[in-house]
Amino acid sequence: DAGVIQSPRHEVTEMGQEVTLRCKPISGHNSLFWYRQTMMRGLELLIYFNNNVPIDDSGMPEDRFSAKMPNASFSTLKIQPSEPRDSAVYFCASTWTERPTGELFFGEGSRLTVL
Amino acid sequence: KQEVTQIPAALSVPEGENLVLNCSFTDSAIYNLQWFRQDPGKGLTSLLLIQSSQREQTSGRLNASLDKSSGRSTLYIAASQPGDSATYLCAVKRGAGGTSYGKLTFGQGTILTVHP
């Protein structure tokens, strides 16, 4: 298996532009998580999906952030409009929720810089 | 609300030492606990997963223990090496029941430096 695949790996954009981050979870996993990591705040859960349904989006900073999971093999995190404080590394992770042995696997992350 | 705390925040040891990293959590209704390693500029790599019914897991020089009733886990690293230098994070998965079933909460991590 190729693991969790994220794109783009790096994104540099200007304030006000729309940013779309993409994630392909591991085949067969039924839960997908979006995390944001910064030096100041560490690893923060933004939203997670179970069976393609958003379960908890309480970590989404504000209305500028939105996430979708149209099917079991694809998810997007969109920021519109982007701001410099959104600069961070965004991680996608997937797992099989109902299995006690279900490990969480992370992608390599998308490093976002908003100028 | 689950809160996960890791102590110490940073640790520097000479090569060859055995060391212990600590993780504590406030809500014992967990499904499992997972330890991760993160190298600078990289993603998180899973090291060990302990199910809520288990007391410990071992992989090579790593041993993780879990005391669910007291809300604690430890990661023991034997005979540390410079290549073990990284940030170590623990995460707890919420158990069944409630609206946040399956939610994982991370600690802030322990930055480990093993010097030759």
Side-chain angles (χ1 to χ4, degrees), chain A residues 13-85:
Chain A
T13 190
E14 293 189 345
M15 183 173 65
Q17 296 298 306
E18 177 179 295
V19 174
T20 299
L21 308 178
R22 298 173 177 81
C23 176
K24 176 179 169 54
I26 291 174
S27 177
H29 283 181
N30 70 336
S31 289
L32 182 141
F33 300 75
W34 282 101
Y35 287 91
R36 177 172 68 176
Q37 188 176 43
T38 60
M39 288 292 292
M40 292 296 294
R41 300 174 68 92
L43 199 62
E44 301 175 278
L45 176 64
L46 300 177
I47 185 171
Y48 78 97
F49 296 84
N50 194 32
N51 295 321
N52 310 337
V53 176
I55 301 300
D56 186 342
D57 64 355
S58 59
M60 295 287 262
E62 48 200 271
D63 292 345
R64 298 184 297 106
F65 285 69
S66 63
K68 294 182 179 179
M69 191 163 187
N71 57 62
S73 59
F74 183 67
S75 177
T76 59
L77 178 68
K78 186 175 294 187
I79 308 172
Q80 167 64 17
S82 58
E83 298 182 1
R85 59 191 169 124

Side-chain angles (χ1 to χ4, degrees), chain A residues 33 35 37 41-43 45 48 55-56 58 91 95-104 106-108 111, chain B residues 31-32 34 36 38 41-44 46-49 51 89 93 99-108:
Chain A
F33 300 75
Y35 287 91
Q37 188 176 43
R41 300 174 68 92
L43 199 62
L45 176 64
Y48 78 97
I55 301 300
D56 186 342
S58 59
F91 288 104
T95 187
W96 183 264
T97 291
E98 284 78 12
R99 293 181 184 168
T101 55
E103 289 182 72
L104 185 67
F106 278 79
E108 287 293 304
R111 183 175 295 275
Chain B
Y31 209 32
N32 61 40
Q34 201 167 348
F36 293 86
Q38 185 176 29
K42 302 289 187 181
L44 281 75
S46 177
L47 297 173
L48 288 165
L49 180 145
Q51 301 174 45
L89 299 101
K93 178 185 282 190
T99 58
S100 295
Y101 170 60
K103 180 176 182 177
L104 282 101
T105 304
F106 279 81
Q108 289 289 88

